[in-house]
Amino acid sequence: MRIEKVYLLSNQSSTPAGSLNRKKKLELIETIADARINQMGDQRQMTAFGKVYADARIVRVSGEHLAERIGLSGMDSKSFEPNYAITKIAHHQHKTDFYIVVDKQIVGGDLSGN
């Protein structure tokens, strides 16, 4: 387990509600200084996702939070890259777990693009 800063991101509309040409752009909604990040082993990945990936993680933060994407401590705060789609969110007694896939799926020992 590592403790590091994470960034919660969401796609926000950049045009007025009545506009027909609504575009969404990624925006920072919250920075959390002390997130606990655990690597997920194969068995835990099978339970959570039904698949095994080269690298999947659980990011646990205090409080109840919502987001669509998450940036880890290495994220550039201007471009928001790299960031990761949140695959699953779980709320537990004043904590939120964000499940993310950081790398590709392992199929028969080889990495695939799925």
Side-chain angles (χ1 to χ4, degrees), residues 16-69:
S19 173
L20 295 176
N21 188 19
R22 297 190 69 169
K23 293 184 180 181
K24 298 208 176 213
K25 72 177 197 174
L26 207 56
E27 289 188 12
L28 178 67
I29 54 176
E30 191 164 2
T31 301
I32 299 172
D34 59 350
R36 285 155 175 72
I37 301 176
N38 291 337
Q39 301 292 119
M40 295 177 70
D42 293 354
Q43 185 60 47
R44 189 176 249 179
Q45 288 183 44
M46 283 302 290
T47 302
F49 308 127
K51 298 177 183 177
V52 176
Y53 297 88
D55 187 6
R57 301 177 191 176
I58 301 173
V59 179
R60 178 168 286 154
V61 297
S62 294
E64 290 195 18
H65 302 275
L66 291 174
E68 295 169 3
R69 301 187 71 81

Side-chain angles (χ1 to χ4, degrees), residues 54-111:
D55 187 6
R57 301 177 191 176
I58 301 173
V59 179
R60 178 168 286 154
V61 297
S62 294
E64 290 195 18
H65 302 275
L66 291 174
E68 295 169 3
R69 301 187 71 81
I70 196 163
L72 302 178
S73 61
M75 183 188 85
D76 181 325
S77 59
K78 292 186 180 175
S79 68
F80 302 133
E81 293 293 335
N83 65 68
Y84 306 96
I86 296 169
T87 306
K88 180 179 175 181
I89 298 176
H91 299 281
H92 312 279
Q93 298 180 342
H94 312 295
K95 293 182 183 123
T96 304
D97 290 348
F98 295 102
Y99 294 78
I100 60 171
V101 172
V102 178
D103 212 344
K104 301 177 187 301
Q105 182 178 355
I106 297 176
V107 179
D110 296 323
L111 290 178

